[in-house]
Amino acid sequence: MIEKFEGVHMTKMERRIKIRSTGIYLPDKILTNADLEKLVETSDEWITTRTGIKERRIASKEQVTSDLAEKAARMALERGGIKAEDIDLILVATNTPDTIFPATACWVQKKLGIKETPAFDLQAGCTGLLYGLIVAESLILSGTARRILLIGVDILTKVTNWQDRGTCVLFGDGAGAFILEESDDDSGLISHFWGADGSLAELLILPGGGTLYPADEKTVEKKLHCITMKGNEVFKHAVKRMGEAAVEALKLAGLDKNQVDYLIPHQANLRIIDATGERLNLPKDKVVVNIHKYGNMSVATIPVALHELIEEGKLQKGQVIVMVAFGAGFTWASAVYRW
Ligand code: UT7
């Protein structure tokens, strides 16, 4: 199907969005496995062999989600060579908003000093960044927005039960930002695949503080304001869904597994990352891993990993990357992107 777009004839399939620039922010404070050994009955050996995590970053008491988001956004703006006012939509993917309302995107807007741009949050568990990418694609290609600031950010350590060894060793804090706009060549987002299964919502949940369990003394006493997870159940679903989603997005892109240059999987557990890499028959050097440094930063894992891959000078123009994530909901999504 041929259509006219800004004076250039392109097939509809050729229109893509691209990541103009990226930015990240990681809090300074480091919490090591040795530190956790002092808090709960655990060991560096258990955490390393079961998860791959060695240390993680922790936001300070004063820092809120929009602070991390703002810093990542400012870096992305600077690297993209654009000003905050050149953004026409702010989309924040997070599970740990500053406030239930207004949206963290509005707090970010205030901090960036951008006036009257639409701003909203998207919540899709650890899959939020890829859901956001898919939503942004529609908004840009439909002409609703020209340049979107998409931020993946979480401070899970503020909603962690520090007495629960099954979860408190897993999480870290961070933010990653993308500036998204329409691509003018064949680089950009080629395909995506997404899904959700709300029937399994209770396996990974922060139950308190919403309308289901409005906050009161009892919800706090029962720690309903903290993450609870049936880890081994989540693990099985994550392996299955991430593998399937990566394969499906590649099919939709018309590409073969051996055309993948880098897999950027959500960093929840090294064993899930390895299983997803094996599903695509990829050698280890094509699978991006940073979980040992940062733990599970939820929505921030993929943008931080991509940013670091760029910084390390590894990503070359034309290379194909597959991003894939899984999280609370359950939700899952994947995206194939030509750099
Ligand atoms: O990002 C969103 C998606 N999230 C995920 O994908 C997380 C998926 N799940 C996981 O990564 C893993 O299930 C965990 C790392 C959370 C747990 O690993 P596991 O191999 O599934 O362990 P498990 O929950 O089956 O527990 C095995 C044992 C239990 O002891 P018993 O009952 O066998 O005596 C746990 O109590 O390990 C024990 N355990 C620990 N031991 C030392 C659980 N946490 C710890 C700990 N240190 N931190």
Side-chain angles (χ1 to χ4, degrees), residues 67 71 97 113 179 196 203 211 227 241-242 260 306:
D67 292 328
K71 287 195 157 71
I179 308 288
L203 295 176
T211 56
I227 302 165
R241 293 297 188 183
M242 282 175 64
V260 177
L306 176 61

Side-chain angles (χ1 to χ4, degrees), residues 315-333:
L315 201 49
Q316 306 301 320
K317 182 140 181 75
Q319 286 188 321
V320 170
I321 56 178
V322 176
M323 299 176 266
V324 60
F326 177 88
F330 290 143
T331 57
W332 54 88

Side-chain angles (χ1 to χ4, degrees), residues 42 46 50-51 126 165 231-232 234 266 268-269 271-272 296:
T42 191
W46 191 95
R50 295 287 181 128
T51 71
C126 299
R165 68 175 184 173
N232 43 17
V234 178
H266 169 50
N269 186 311
R271 290 180 290 142
I272 301 174
N296 181 352

Side-chain angles (χ1 to χ4, degrees), residues 59-64 67 158:
S60 71
K61 256 196 174 142
E62 296 72 33
Q63 280 178 316
V64 294
D67 292 328
K158 290 205 187 194

Side-chain angles (χ1 to χ4, degrees), residues 6 24 32 56 70 76 80 82 101 113 120 134 137 157 178 185 197 202 209 213 217 246-247 254 263 306 316 326:
E6 286 186 0
I24 63 169
T32 65
R56 66 288 287 145
E70 180 202 356
I82 53 170
F101 67 83
F120 66 98
I134 296 168
E137 180 195 54
T157 64
F178 291 165
D185 58 23
D197 183 355
E202 284 167 19
Y213 299 110
E217 297 82 356
V247 168
L263 171 69
L306 176 61
Q316 306 301 320
F326 177 88

Side-chain angles (χ1 to χ4, degrees), residues 84-306:
E85 54 265 31
D86 297 327
I87 295 297
D88 54 19
L89 192 143
I90 304 167
L91 179 48
V92 173
T94 188
N95 305 287
T96 48
D98 289 17
T99 46
I100 287 191
F101 67 83
T104 301
C106 294
W107 294 116
V108 171
Q109 181 186 40
K110 181 182 173 189
K111 288 176 182 175
L112 290 176
I114 309 177
K115 290 210 170 70
E116 296 184 11
T117 339
F120 66 98
D121 287 2
L122 181 156
Q123 202 242 81
C126 299
T127 313
L129 193 279
L130 294 183
Y131 265 48
L133 195 63
I134 296 168
V135 170
E137 180 195 54
S138 288
L139 293 172
I140 291 171
L141 296 188
S142 68
T144 307
R146 205 169 52 89
R147 194 171 283 141
I148 296 179
L149 169 61
L150 170 65
I151 307 168
V153 56
D154 265 310
I155 302 188
L156 290 179
T157 64
K158 290 205 187 194
V159 293
T160 294
N161 176 355
W162 291 99
Q163 282 140 26
D164 175 15
R165 68 175 184 173
T167 53
C168 76
V169 302
L170 303 174
F171 305 118
D173 305 327
F178 291 165
I179 308 288
L180 301 168
E181 61 191 16
E182 183 155 0
S183 175
D184 49 13
D185 58 23
D186 74 341
S187 69
L189 182 60
I190 304 174
S191 70
H192 46 72
F193 180 83
W194 57 352
D197 183 355
S199 72
L200 299 168
E202 284 167 19
L203 295 176
L204 174 49
I205 186 168
L206 191 159
T211 56
L212 182 60
Y213 299 110
D216 62 18
E217 297 82 356
K218 278 199 185 124
T219 63
V220 174
E221 196 186 307
K222 289 183 183 162
K223 296 232 182 279
L224 297 188
H225 57 292
C226 295
I227 302 165
T228 61
M229 174 168 77
K230 291 239 175 353
N232 43 17
E233 285 295 316
V234 178
F235 185 97
K236 282 185 260 173
H237 289 281
V239 168
K240 178 175 179 293
R241 293 297 188 183
M242 282 175 64
E244 283 171 1
V247 168
E248 287 305 319
L250 274 173
K251 260 194 234 163
L252 291 168
L255 293 172
D256 197 68
K257 290 173 190 171
N258 60 24
Q259 290 173 284
V260 177
D261 293 292
Y262 289 105
L263 171 69
I264 305 182
H266 169 50
Q267 313 274 308
N269 186 311
L270 187 57
R271 290 180 290 142
I272 301 174
I273 294 168
D274 286 346
T276 311
E278 280 160 25
R279 183 75 184 262
L280 297 188
N281 303 329
L282 292 176
K284 289 236 188 281
D285 63 345
K286 290 191 171 188
V287 181
V288 180
V289 177
N290 63 15
I291 190 170
H292 51 292
K293 297 188 284 184
Y294 307 131
N296 181 352
M297 298 183 290
S298 190
V299 193
T301 63
I302 288 180
V304 169
L306 176 61

